[in-house]
Amino acid sequence: MASVACIGECMVELRQAQGGHSTGQAGQGGGLYSRGFGGDTLNTAVYLARLEVKVDYLTALGDDALSDEMVAAWNAESIGTRRVVRLPGKLPGLYMIQTDAKGERQFFHWRDSAAARQLMSLPETDELLNSLMSYDIVYLSAITLSIYDAAGRERLFAAIKRARLLGTRFVFDTNFRARGWPDRDVAREVFAAAFAAADIVLTSTEDLLALYPGESHEQLMARIPTPELVFRLAEPVSLLRFPAGTSEVRAEPMTKPVVDTTAAGDSFAAAYIAARLGGADPLEAAQAGHRLASLVICYAGAIIPGYAMPPKKRHRPATTRQATK
């Protein structure tokens, strides 16, 4: 069975409870929040597991009760946790979601001292990085890269390049959050390194225009040399570039109201990767990505209920790995 390593950070998620309000002190309004767990690459790992892909999550957590709950939840979703490093005295990060009337989200983070930030500088790091060559795909995002320092990113890229020599494919998702970077010049430099190393890049106008303002779609796509590129536009359309040619894939019209756009890109990535591992071509994979993302945004929070998942479409199974020449 094909396997995926997702590298990143899971945090405690707080979101406004539907219909929940409380009254604070002396005239102050308040709200009730529900607690969950989320993070972009973790969200992708959950959806990959639900699409019957073997997936391990690579991260660092604390030794606290919340970290215990996270690991238990991942195990319940059939996500492998053997690569999760537990750090005594540390805690996971936390983020809050606010959504507007159209379901567009805004995030607030408390993560500067989170355990996951140390993943590339631990005694266990070498063993973890050497394990990457045992996977068919290594998936991470720009958010993942933003939590490590320059030395940690260099160490990670070197391990990915070694794994690619043995046939592992690297999928990079450009999930860009400006607040996670010291400045845009550093982000652009790291993005260029990721583009050069990747086999597949999943990106969007939202991410790239924040780094390269004013550029056209063609200019933005030209910055990415990878052989397989999925470029999501502001409207529900993807532009694809792959060795067999280029194409455009449109999502089917929405039939339900948008509630929360959290994890739209994360779920798209999971469905795309699962379809490609299952033998689908890039067009079929992008269609699968749009279908799942269109469903996910009809629910609050990053992870939709298990019963709401669509039936898995079967493709021809991928049976071989080819080393990068």
Side-chain angles (χ1 to χ4, degrees), residues 97-249:
I97 302 173
Q98 285 189 347
T99 54
D100 62 20
K102 296 181 179 179
E104 291 298 327
R105 78 282 192 217
Q106 184 177 11
F107 298 98
F108 301 88
H109 293 92
W110 295 265
R111 68 197 302 192
D112 289 347
S113 60
R117 302 180 76 91
Q118 298 183 20
L119 187 64
M120 291 298 123
S121 58
L122 299 171
E124 299 90 345
T125 300
D126 281 342
E127 180 181 356
L128 183 145
L129 292 177
N130 287 335
S131 75
L132 298 183
M133 63 185 68
S134 67
Y135 295 92
D136 293 276
I137 283 178
V138 171
Y139 169 83
L140 57 84
S141 73
I143 292 179
T144 303
L145 297 175
S146 74
I147 68 174
Y148 309 136
D149 61 17
R153 289 191 290 264
E154 184 176 346
R155 200 173 180 184
L156 176 56
F157 279 139
I160 288 172
K161 291 174 181 177
R162 292 194 300 270
R164 290 183 71 243
L165 293 175
L166 297 177
T168 298
R169 287 181 287 170
F170 171 36
V171 180
F172 176 55
D173 191 327
T174 63
N175 204 358
F176 176 68
R177 298 290 181 269
R179 189 171 296 181
W181 297 92
D183 59 59
R184 279 174 167 76
D185 286 338
V186 172
R188 283 188 279 262
E189 181 180 347
V190 174
F191 270 54
F195 292 156
D199 297 281
I200 301 173
V201 169
L202 307 175
T203 190
S204 67
T205 52
E206 179 183 7
D207 292 337
L208 293 189
L209 285 176
L211 285 175
Y212 313 104
E215 293 196 359
S216 67
H217 295 163
E218 292 76 14
Q219 289 172 315
L220 293 172
M221 294 176 71
R223 288 184 173 276
I224 305 172
T226 185
E228 186 169 331
L229 171 63
V230 182
F231 184 50
R232 300 188 307 277
L233 306 185
E235 61 268 29
V237 177
S238 292
L239 304 181
L240 307 184
R241 188 187 71 210
F242 48 96
T246 59
S247 189
E248 177 183 291
V249 174

Side-chain angles (χ1 to χ4, degrees), residues 44-82:
T44 299
V46 170
Y47 289 115
L48 280 168
R50 290 183 177 185
L51 293 169
E52 301 177 15
V53 174
K54 183 179 179 182
V55 56
D56 286 343
Y57 197 58
L58 283 60
T59 193
L61 291 174
D63 59 353
D64 57 291
L66 289 172
S67 296
D68 290 342
E69 287 185 28
M70 286 185 185
V71 172
W74 303 346
N75 286 328
E77 290 280 1
S78 299
I79 296 171
T81 57
R82 57 184 173 150

